[in-house]
């Protein structure tokens, strides 16, 4: 069995807990995060400035992709003076949409798609910005996820990776937490107990790193620019 096969088996085994988390989040209207619950359902909630800064304000429409979005994208749906088009995808979107039938309708509904298979659903260079927030370290192949995000982003567009450091280590590799991200010398390492990868090497033919935090930062927020 390869490392990728083993990771997918563990990912599949953790699906039930992920669905249960989001089911409870919907049932309790966000639980301990009621403000985020409200913002995800709000069609007028403004696009986050740390996303908007990477968009071209002169573009007629900015296409944004949110991968691993859960039942509802976290992205704001409005950008004053500009038109945006948000697409949200999640590997478990069918399950999420089933229990969303009993809640208010989301302004952007997640579509079923593994991040590892984006190019099967979207054309090359379709998006101006692709975003992954607290999700790729839960995927079965984060390296392929990042490559796929690059491929569906246009040349000159950007890819945003917003994650916390070493989540699998903190969670003791429970459930979907099978990969760690950490910052090392202007690069992002993607690793677990069996493998280690460099983001710079991974995307060398597709993108360059244009923003990365300092070593040891707990927030591993990295921006790539598509070549």
């Amino acid at each position: 069995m390869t490392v990728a096969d083993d990771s997918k088996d563990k990912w599949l085994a953790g699906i039930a807990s992920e669905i249960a988390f989001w089911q409870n989040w919907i049932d309790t209207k966000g639980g301990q995060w009621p403000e985020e619950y409200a913002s995800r359902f709000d069609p007028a909630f403004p696009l986050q400035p740390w996303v908007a800064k990477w968009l071209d304000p002169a573009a007629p429409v900015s296409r944004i992709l949110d991968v691993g979005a859960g039942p509802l994208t976290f992205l704001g749906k409005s950008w004053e003076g500009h038109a945006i088009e948000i697409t949200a995808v999640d590997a478990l979107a069918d399950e999420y949409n089933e229990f969303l039938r009993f809640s208010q309708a989301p302004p952007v509904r997640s579509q079923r798609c593994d991040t590892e298979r984006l190019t099967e659903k979207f054309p090359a260079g379709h998006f101006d910005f692709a975003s992954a927030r607290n999700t790729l370290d839960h995927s079965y192949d984060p390296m392929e996820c990042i490559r796929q995000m690059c491929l569906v982003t246009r040349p000159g567009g950007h890819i945003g990776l917003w994650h916390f450091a070493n989540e699998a280590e903190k969670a003791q590799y429970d459930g979907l937490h099978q990969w760690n991200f950490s910052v090392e010398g202007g690069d992002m390492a993607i690793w677990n107990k069996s493998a280690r990868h460099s983001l710079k090497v991974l995307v060398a033919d597709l993108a360059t790193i244009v923003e990365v935090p300092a070593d040891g930062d707990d927030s591993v927020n990295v921006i790539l620019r598509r070549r």
Side-chain angles (χ1 to χ4, degrees):
M1 178 180 289
T2 67
V3 171
D5 289 338
D6 183 56
S7 293
K8 188 162 188 179
D9 286 344
K10 291 177 179 177
W11 181 85
L12 289 168
I15 283 176
S17 63
E18 188 76 359
I19 292 173
F21 169 84
W22 285 110
Q23 176 74 74
N24 181 70
W25 187 84
I26 293 290
D27 291 344
T28 61
K29 298 188 183 302
Q32 60 183 304
W33 304 283
E35 295 86 1
E36 181 163 334
Y37 177 90
S39 69
R40 290 194 185 212
F41 273 105
D42 183 359
F45 191 74
L47 184 67
Q48 290 81 358
W50 39 275
V51 175
K53 70 178 284 189
W54 301 105
L55 301 177
D56 179 2
V61 179
S62 292
R63 295 192 181 105
I64 307 173
L65 174 67
D66 183 18
V67 304
L72 303 106
T73 178
F74 79 96
L75 291 166
K77 318 304 182 298
S78 65
W79 185 23
E80 187 174 1
H82 308 281
I84 57 175
E85 178 184 287
I86 296 175
T87 301
V89 298
D90 195 285
L92 304 176
D94 290 346
E95 289 83 354
Y96 298 148
N97 285 323
E98 179 63 23
F99 57 68
L100 277 172
R101 290 190 305 119
F102 305 103
S103 71
Q104 65 191 94
V108 175
R109 190 175 294 278
S110 293
Q111 304 175 39
R112 167 72 175 85
C113 185
D114 293 18
T115 306
E116 292 88 348
R117 304 176 71 174
L118 292 173
T119 52
E120 296 178 20
K121 192 174 183 68
F122 304 107
H126 182 70
F127 296 100
D128 300 291
F129 190 93
S131 173
R133 176 177 177 252
N134 192 29
T135 178
L136 299 187
D137 50 352
H138 303 165
S139 63
Y140 54 86
D141 190 345
M143 292 71 64
E144 183 59 25
C145 289
I146 293 168
R147 287 189 61 84
Q148 291 277 310
M149 290 175 70
C150 290
L151 289 169
V152 298
T153 301
R154 66 167 176 81
H158 294 85
I159 300 95
L161 312 175
W162 333 97
H163 298 80
F164 293 108
N166 305 328
E167 286 289 275
E169 286 283 307
K170 294 172 186 174
Q172 300 182 320
Y173 296 89
D174 181 54
L176 298 186
H177 296 91
Q178 297 301 316
W179 290 94
N180 299 288
F181 293 167
S182 58
V183 181
E184 299 178 1
D187 193 7
M188 186 179 87
I190 308 165
W191 62 278
N192 59 20
K193 293 179 179 180
S194 303
R196 190 176 196 90
H197 305 271
S198 157
L199 178 63
K200 280 185 178 178
V201 172
L202 175 68
V203 302
D205 60 331
L206 293 172
T208 56
I209 298 175
V210 295
E211 186 170 282
V212 63
D215 288 15
D217 198 315
D218 190 53
S219 295
V220 185
N221 298 334
V222 177
I223 300 292
L224 306 174
R225 179 178 294 119
R226 182 73 162 93
R227 292 186 186 278

